[in-house]
Structure formats: C-alpha cells, structure tokens
Amino acid sequence: MEFRPTLSILLHALLLFQFVSESRARDIAKTSPEETLNPQLNIFFTPKDLKIGKIMPLFFALKDPSTSPHLLSREEANSIPFSSSNLTYLLNFFSFSKDSPQAKAMEDTFFHCEISAMIGESKFCATSLESMLDFVQEILGFHTKLDVYTTEFLKKSPVTLQNYTILQKPKEILEPKLVACHTLPYPYAVFYCHMQKGENKFFKISLLGENGDRIEAAAICHMDTKEWNHDHVAFRVLKVLPGSSPVCHYFPVDNLVWVPSLSM
C-alpha cells in the first residue's frame, strides 16, 4: 500500500530547520574549530565535574512536543523508503528543494544512519516505536522489563544557555548495559539508537539554573574514548585527547535512555 504524507507530517517537515545538532551521543562527522563556539555544545563535561555545588554553563533546547515530529506506526514507516539512495524521491515526496536546509538535514541524518558503527558499537535508526523497541529488546533482552529515562524540565524559562548548579549528589543508575536513542532531523521522528560496549556510567542529576530553572537531567559518562574519532567535537570542547579522559554529556529533553528495570 502506498503511503501518502498527511498534512500533519508535512507541517512537521517544515520544522526541520531547527537542528542538525548534538541530539545524539556522539558527532561522527568532522567539525570545524569554529564550531566549538556553538552554544549547543555546552553539554559536555568530565566525571570530576560531578559534585554538589559545581557550576557549569549548559545548553538545554526548548522543545514543544505539540510541534515536534511524531513517530509513525511501523506500517506507515515501512511504506516510505528510508535511504540516501532515495533522497531525490524523498525530497519530492516531502516537497523540499534539493538546496533547502531541510534537504541538508535529511542528508546528514542518512549519513549518521548509514555510516559504519564504531568498534564495539551496535546502532540502529528507528523510524517507529515498534522498531525502536525491537532494537532495544535485542540488545537488553527480549524478556527484560524496561525502564526509560529522559531529561525533564521541572521549571523552565525561555533561556536556553545559562549557568547551572548541581544541587544534590548525582544518582548513578547501576546498569551494565543501556541503549541511548537520540533524535535526528527528519520530517517524521527518527531516533539514532545505539549501545556502546565498554564502561559507561549513567546518572540522573538535579540542576538549578541561575534563572531559577529546575531540571532533572539524564547524563552519561563514556569511560573509554580511545576508539573515538580524533575529530570528535567533545575533545575540543573539553581540551582532552582520545583515551586520555572519560567524556560525559547531558541528554537533550527529547532523547530516550533505555535500561533494564530496577524493579522486579
């Protein structure tokens, strides 16, 4: 059955200019030195920063769920090709010109979905909730009860970049494996889901902004970075080298982190 774009999907498609961002755990593509000045890169830190009273400038984008691209059903998603080889067809399908910001965003999304995984990484781009759960269960266990974590705004002003203070001792979620799913820019919701072998530490962190904002943030520390791309933007932001230091980052509000449930 041929799937035709609904008005809702076409409206969501117009929002693609919002980000080609760090909505994902790692930026595989090479970046220019000037990109370190991008305020959106204020999400990285190291484990030594995880202490009560630590103040960090952090960027948390404001996302309105009512205007964000939504997940399609598996049937709808499977009826639309999802491949860079079909980009010309898809641009026509969604009524984008080949030189538009939306076309560039879609091209970048395909790049991240189609590039080979890093050593020790399992990755998958989910275009439906069903396909996301299939991948998560394949990694964490088909009969495993799951918990999902996100970054939550308890109180949020329009300010996206400000100084935040860690209010309490960060709570580590002790799980040997997790799957992180990061939004990618596309006319409908696409999540870059991956699991990286090796030691990773996952935290929930209570933050207070200088504007009075309150955030319960999800964050992860990748303890072994020696296999990472030397051009990864985190190394320039933190002024460290691959393998010389763990790299930690906060998750944006629209990302999901899946872990085996702590409850029986």
Side-chain angles (χ1 to χ4, degrees):
M1 179 180 67
E2 181 183 4
F3 176 72
R4 297 184 181 278
T6 64
L7 177 60
S8 177
I9 292 178
L10 290 174
L11 289 175
H12 289 317
L14 297 177
L15 302 171
L16 276 180
F17 69 91
Q18 293 180 73
F19 57 94
V20 176
S21 63
E22 229 300 324
S23 288
R24 41 196 181 267
R26 64 184 182 89
D27 184 352
I28 306 171
K30 293 184 178 181
T31 50
S32 63
E34 291 77 12
E35 222 176 334
T36 57
L37 302 177
N38 187 329
Q40 295 186 39
L41 298 178
N42 284 275
I43 60 170
F44 296 106
F45 61 97
T46 64
K48 66 182 181 182
D49 296 317
L50 290 174
K51 54 189 178 183
I52 299 174
K54 176 68 178 181
I55 300 174
M56 291 180 279
L58 297 172
F59 180 94
F60 288 101
L62 300 172
K63 298 290 180 67
D64 182 353
S66 67
T67 60
S68 296
H70 66 277
L71 279 164
L72 301 184
S73 69
R74 190 198 298 271
E75 180 183 9
E76 289 177 320
N78 288 348
S79 70
I80 308 171
F82 185 79
S83 169
S84 59
S85 63
N86 296 113
L87 182 57
T88 300
Y89 166 80
L90 290 165
L91 292 177
N92 181 64
F93 184 81
F94 291 113
S95 300
F96 296 145
S97 70
K98 65 178 182 179
D99 298 319
S100 66
Q102 293 89 345
K104 178 62 168 64
M106 291 173 68
E107 186 177 5
D108 287 347
T109 288
F110 286 133
F111 170 78
H112 284 88
C113 290
E114 294 174 1
I115 194 172
S116 298
M118 290 194 304
I119 296 174
E121 181 190 37
S122 299
K123 63 187 280 283
F124 175 72
C125 281
T127 56
S128 68
L129 179 59
E130 295 96 327
S131 64
M132 182 191 298
L133 289 174
D134 285 348
F135 176 76
V136 171
Q137 291 176 321
E138 180 181 344
I139 298 297
L140 301 182
F142 287 101
H143 301 292
T144 301
K145 187 176 179 181
L146 301 172
D147 285 336
V148 62
Y149 292 88
T150 63
T151 290
E152 302 174 87
F153 294 144
L154 304 183
K155 181 182 178 183
K156 191 72 180 83
S157 71
V159 179
T160 55
L161 177 64
Q162 61 180 294
N163 285 325
Y164 283 89
T165 302
I166 296 179
L167 290 179
Q168 303 169 7
K169 180 180 178 180
K171 178 184 178 182
E172 184 175 0
I173 309 299
L174 296 171
E175 289 293 350
K177 289 198 297 186
L178 61 81
V179 176
C181 294
H182 316 278
T183 52
L184 293 177
Y186 208 70
Y188 53 84
V190 172
F191 284 83
Y192 178 97
C193 297
H194 68 141
M195 187 276 293
Q196 180 68 46
K197 290 182 180 178
E199 186 181 4
N200 299 294
K201 295 186 177 183
F202 178 56
F203 297 91
K204 287 291 287 184
I205 304 172
S206 296
L207 299 171
L208 175 64
E210 60 188 354
N211 251 28
D213 295 359
R214 287 288 307 274
I215 297 178
E216 286 296 316
I220 191 170
C221 290
H222 302 283
M223 307 307 290
D224 183 1
T225 60
K226 63 178 179 292
E227 298 293 342
W228 287 28
N229 189 324
H230 282 62
D231 294 308
H232 193 301
V233 67
F235 296 132
R236 286 201 293 276
V237 173
L238 298 174
K239 296 180 172 58
V240 298
L241 297 173
S244 68
S245 169
V247 167
C248 308
H249 67 83
Y250 288 96
F251 287 96
V253 69
D254 54 1
N255 286 202
L256 304 173
V257 183
W258 297 89
V259 301
S261 178
L262 296 175
S263 61
M264 301 300 292

